[in-house]
Amino acid sequence: MRAIVSLLALSLLCACSGQSTKEDAMSGNTRLHYPVTRQGEQVDHYFGQAVADPYRWLEDDRSPETEAWVKAQNRVTQGYLAQIPYRAAIKEKLAASWNYAKEGAPFREGRYHYFFKNDGLQNQNVLWRQLEGKPAEVFLDPNTLSPDGTTALDQLSFSRDGRILAYSLSLAGSDWREIHLMDVESKQPLEAPLKDVKFSGISWLGNEGFFYSSYDKPDGSELSARTDQHKVYFHRLGTAQEDDRLVFGAIPAQHHRYVGATVTEDDRFLLISAANSTSGNRLYVKDLSQENAPLLTVQGDLEADVSLVDNQGSTLYLLTNRDAPNGRLVTVDAANPGPARWRDLIPERQQVLTVHSGSGYLFAEYMVDATARVEQFDYEGKRVREVALPGLGSVSGFNGKHDDPALYFGFEHYAQPPTLYRFEPKSGAISLYRASAAPFKPEDYVSEQRFYQSKDGTRVPLIISYRKGLKLDGSNPTILYGYGGFDVSLTPSFSVSVANWLDLGGVYAVANLRGGGEYGQAWHLAGTRMNKQ
């Protein structure tokens, strides 16, 4: 295996340096002969400066000349790749490694526990369910919804008593959805599906009906027509879609590109979030327990993000980066919810914060040097404990209903396939719920964090993964991956392709560059605009 990966790495290295066949790669004598690329005479003028752009003609991806150029380049590339030794063997190893069963964390709705499962080769995950003491059964299989398998399950949301499922489907990859309703006991549809729904959640009000979002159906092409005035509707069970009540978006002051509605678990409050981009949103709240209650403003500008975590009575628990770039959890009374009355429950720290809720507790997830740390709090803001995670990696979960006796979370890193754990918030006990079926033994590998100094002295985290016993002396084939942009954080995640690289004796290193979100807004801005290297 070491020979395979060494030859592969040598082949890749030689490809970059322009050498050709296996023998040539070993000797380093012959260069690849690339197609000649015509240089045009295009020149643009910016602020009095002439800037040549000789390859502008390649931007016309429909021209015969561009098509011929691409085909010629591909002939050179594929001709070289076809000569790499053991390439077919590695392809077969990868294909076999991807074929294993995968299962998600269970969640409770009504009488059943539900979970998603994939046998390893299914295009889409299948929704299963189980009654306590009974065998599990398939509940909803998206793979059977269309002959060609192009109908995908998007959102799903159960009525408060768990007896009705509302789920949205995407047809052939379209952003436009249909919302279907099903009786969970009979698995039979209840009424005609809602049509022309886009960028929408589904949030139930008790068992009466649900809120959803969409745009007016565009004139002309659904694929290219502009859709920029999102609206929130309420659909009452047993009524026609054309009778759905418009809740938000009717007047110019409510016009936004993205709007979504959420109902609190106790059915008391409706929260509406409105935004025009992926950062910054307005937030409104309405007390549903009062007839004709007004829609009050929680945050009236787009200067920050704010979202509902939970409520206790009339107290709203909000996660925001307003005046706190790394995030803070605040509380406010829903009757007077403006920012001036927000009070810190979990103040901002140096680490980026996200918050989950379940089993009557709050879970603060911090990003510490690009890895997860989770702390448990009660609703008064008292710290209960730090959750003992299995190591340095990424977590998902810690969500549930107020009365759930246990919660579930997933844990993974570059050398650890996603593994499910059961957590009991009362005692803090953690137990293995389901190990990964991936054909990969994490105990045979190391994934460790180190730090290096960038050229300006900035301390940058780096996670290195490799097989145990491997000497890190610079002689091992190594993939170094880095990405710094758009506030995206590179947190540890498992990949079958990376696992096979490690299994073959390779080293995999990930650097958390500035421009990402690993250390909050300042770290992100340090890799943008004039700060780009």
Side-chain angles (χ1 to χ4, degrees):
M1 286 301 185
R2 177 62 184 270
I4 292 175
V5 78
S6 297
L7 283 170
L8 176 61
L10 179 60
S11 299
L12 292 171
L13 177 64
C14 293
C16 294
S17 62
Q19 292 154 341
S20 54
T21 65
K22 178 179 175 181
E23 292 76 13
D24 292 332
M26 297 302 181
S27 63
N29 291 329
T30 306
R31 297 184 63 83
L32 285 174
H33 298 289
Y34 288 101
V36 175
T37 304
R38 176 176 67 83
Q39 295 191 37
E41 298 180 357
Q42 177 70 36
V43 176
D44 298 311
H45 296 271
Y46 300 103
F47 307 103
Q49 237 3 69
V51 180
D53 191 358
Y55 303 113
R56 177 76 59 83
W57 62 272
L58 279 168
E59 293 182 14
D60 183 0
D61 60 353
R62 301 282 182 174
S63 76
E65 185 180 14
T66 300
E67 181 182 0
W69 181 88
V70 170
K71 288 181 177 178
Q73 293 285 341
N74 284 341
R75 281 194 295 272
V76 174
T77 301
Q78 296 304 325
Y80 178 80
L81 293 177
Q83 300 176 68
I84 294 177
Y86 307 112
R87 189 163 181 257
I90 290 176
K91 179 180 178 181
E92 291 175 8
K93 179 176 174 62
L94 283 170
S97 300
W98 256 295
N99 183 15
Y100 66 92
K102 306 164 186 71
E103 187 171 320
F107 55 95
R108 179 172 58 89
E109 298 289 349
R111 302 193 306 135
Y112 296 92
H113 279 85
Y114 295 84
F115 58 94
F116 282 97
K117 186 177 179 179
N118 192 302
D119 65 13
L121 293 178
Q122 291 168 299
N123 288 327
Q124 299 183 52
N125 296 333
V126 178
L127 183 60
W128 289 64
R129 72 178 180 185
Q130 186 171 20
L131 280 172
E132 188 172 354
K134 302 288 186 180
E137 63 174 1
V138 172
F139 177 65
L140 179 60
D141 184 357
N143 300 288
T144 65
L145 296 179
S146 61
D148 58 0
T150 60
T151 297
L153 179 63
D154 181 34
Q155 300 281 325
L156 70 157
S157 180
F158 290 82
S159 60
R160 203 66 70 193
D161 61 9
R163 294 183 179 182
I164 302 173
L165 169 65
Y167 62 96
S168 59
L169 298 178
S170 169
L171 309 180
S174 172
D175 285 333
W176 293 91
R177 306 287 196 254
E178 294 180 355
I179 297 181
H180 295 247
L181 289 124
M182 176 197 293
D183 179 282
V184 301
E185 294 299 338
S186 66
K187 300 184 186 178
Q188 295 301 309
L190 288 177
E191 56 185 61
L194 278 62
K195 304 281 190 177
D196 301 323
V197 177
K198 187 174 183 180
F199 299 154
S200 177
I202 304 172
S203 189
W204 281 85
L205 175 59
N207 307 309
E208 301 173 27
F210 53 85
F211 295 90
Y212 68 96
S213 307
S214 195
Y215 305 90
D216 294 336
K217 189 173 178 62
D219 295 326
S221 172
E222 290 185 353
L223 299 179
S224 60
R226 183 175 181 178
T227 49
D228 63 351
Q229 292 182 17
H230 221 191
K231 299 176 181 178
V232 171
Y233 296 88
F234 179 73
H235 177 75
R236 187 174 298 278
L237 288 181
T239 65
Q241 184 178 0
E242 53 263 31
D243 296 327
D244 288 353
R245 176 165 54 92
L246 177 59
V247 175
F248 187 90
I251 60 177
Q254 295 179 349
H255 289 173
H256 293 80
R257 190 165 287 119
Y258 309 110
V259 177
T262 303
V263 179
T264 54
E265 187 178 333
D266 60 5
D267 288 322
R268 179 169 176 183
F269 295 105
L270 169 67
L271 280 293
I272 295 179
S273 174
N276 288 323
S277 67
T278 54
S279 62
N281 68 297
R282 296 184 174 98
L283 188 66
Y284 306 92
V285 62
K286 182 175 183 176
D287 190 340
L288 299 175
S289 68
Q290 298 180 15
E291 191 173 353
N292 298 320
L295 190 67
L296 302 178
T297 300
V298 181
Q299 176 170 275
D301 57 45
L302 300 172
E303 301 304 312
D305 300 302
V306 59
S307 60
L308 176 74
V309 173
D310 203 355
N311 75 299
Q312 292 281 291
S314 65
T315 301
L316 304 178
Y317 291 74
L318 307 171
L319 178 64
T320 183
N321 58 10
R322 190 181 190 92
D323 302 321
N326 292 335
R328 58 180 173 136
L329 186 71
V330 301
T331 60
V332 70
D333 191 277
N336 197 348
R341 295 185 175 269
W342 296 359
R343 297 292 178 265
D344 282 1
L345 189 79
I346 302 178
E348 182 188 24
R349 298 185 187 175
Q350 290 184 336
Q351 295 85 20
V352 178
L353 170 70
T354 56
V355 181
H356 315 274
S357 66
S359 301
Y361 291 95
L362 299 166
F363 296 89
E365 180 186 338
Y366 292 98
M367 194 176 346
V368 181
D369 298 327
T371 64
R373 187 174 74 198
V374 178
E375 297 183 17
Q376 180 181 347
F377 290 83
D378 64 21
Y379 277 80
E380 301 300 318
K382 179 183 176 183
R383 184 180 183 274
V384 177
R385 63 174 61 86
E386 180 177 341
V387 179
L389 299 178
L392 291 179
S394 300
V395 295
S396 59
F398 294 103
N399 295 302
K401 293 180 170 56
H402 287 163
D403 59 351
D404 280 342
L407 302 175
Y408 298 85
F409 69 91
F411 178 82
E412 63 182 302
H413 56 66
Y414 298 110
Q416 169 69 61
T419 304
L420 287 175
Y421 294 86
R422 187 177 190 270
F423 175 69
E424 298 177 21
K426 292 288 186 185
S427 65
I430 296 175
S431 56
L432 177 66
Y433 178 74
R434 182 162 284 109
S436 172
F440 183 78
K441 296 180 180 179
E443 61 272 17
D444 293 341
Y445 303 88
V446 176
S447 189
E448 60 186 10
Q449 187 168 59
R450 302 187 183 185
F451 296 86
Y452 70 91
Q453 280 196 343
S454 188
K455 64 180 182 180
D456 64 356
T458 300
R459 186 171 180 260
V460 181
L462 177 77
I463 295 181
I464 305 174
S465 304
Y466 54 95
R467 180 185 284 278
K468 282 183 180 177
L470 196 71
K471 292 184 64 176
L472 300 183
D473 57 5
S475 65
N476 306 292
T478 299
I479 296 175
L480 170 63
Y481 181 79
Y483 183 87
F486 299 97
D487 205 17
V488 173
S489 300
L490 291 184
T491 54
S493 60
F494 181 76
S495 160
V496 167
S497 55
V498 170
N500 276 278
W501 176 256
L502 302 181
D503 187 50
L504 292 168
V507 177
Y508 187 71
V510 176
N512 297 101
L513 311 177
R514 279 167 287 182
E518 289 85 352
Y519 293 104
Q521 192 68 3
W523 190 260
H524 164 56
L525 294 176
T528 65
R529 300 179 182 179
M530 297 304 291
N531 296 318
K532 286 184 179 292
Q533 294 189 26

